[in-house]
Amino acid sequence: MNRTRVFTGSPWEPLVGYCRAIRIENRIEVAGTTAMKDGEVVGVGDVYEQTRFILQTIEKALQELGAQMSDVVRTRMFVTDISDWQEIGRAHGEFFRDVQPVATMVEVKALIDPLLRIEIEVEAVVQSQLR
């Protein structure tokens, strides 16, 4: 089984032992992704901005593996305040309005940094061969 991985350079990837995304044949799994850049939280206090940043990060990882957002079949959103669902949904809709993957949003007690309000993971299925 051939595995192609994407790394973002996060200091946690080698420490914890994970990658941002992995492709096995035509399936891609993207790890839980937060609004972190260079060790800093992006969009502090703005769940919409955090969601957009996360989805842009996921999109880049998918592209590195020969996929696009239209190949996404599932999103999972872990949020620290479920009442933020409308702003999260607005950003999610900007990326997936026409794709309409199955989606789950659940409230969690906390994320790895208290300034983070959302974490997203996705699954994609692609028809093209990886080059």
Side-chain angles (χ1 to χ4, degrees):
M1 183 168 27
N2 187 25
R3 296 175 186 214
T4 305
R5 294 175 180 86
V6 169
F7 296 90
T8 59
S10 160
W12 300 289
E13 289 170 341
L15 180 67
V16 177
Y18 76 98
C19 61
R20 171 64 42 222
I22 190 167
R23 180 172 175 164
I24 302 172
E25 298 180 10
N26 70 332
R27 295 191 53 83
I28 297 174
E29 300 282 343
V30 181
T33 304
T34 60
M36 297 287 290
K37 183 176 182 180
D38 301 324
E40 301 293 324
V41 175
V42 174
V44 173
D46 187 342
V47 72
Y48 171 80
E49 184 59 34
Q50 286 190 16
T51 304
R52 285 192 45 78
F53 180 85
I54 291 165
L55 292 171
Q56 290 166 348
T57 301
I58 288 170
E59 185 172 38
K60 289 175 194 168
L62 290 171
Q63 289 170 347
E64 286 189 49
L65 292 171
Q68 52 194 347
M69 293 299 256
S70 62
D71 295 315
V72 172
V73 296
R74 170 178 286 285
T75 62
R76 290 183 187 91
M77 296 166 277
F78 305 95
V79 302
T80 58
D81 184 349
I82 200 71
S83 69
D84 287 333
W85 74 268
Q86 287 181 310
E87 286 300 291
I88 294 164
R90 179 167 66 103
H92 187 276
E94 290 172 8
F95 286 82
F96 295 115
R97 185 165 283 108
D98 295 330
V99 179
Q100 298 181 330
V102 295
T104 301
M105 183 185 302
V106 295
E107 184 177 72
V108 296
K109 181 178 177 181
L111 296 171
I112 201 156
D113 184 302
L115 296 175
L116 293 168
R117 296 172 62 180
I118 181 167
E119 182 168 335
I120 302 173
E121 59 183 41
V122 306
E123 297 174 24
V125 177
V126 294
Q127 298 305 313
S128 63
Q129 295 295 320
L130 185 61
R131 296 177 190 176

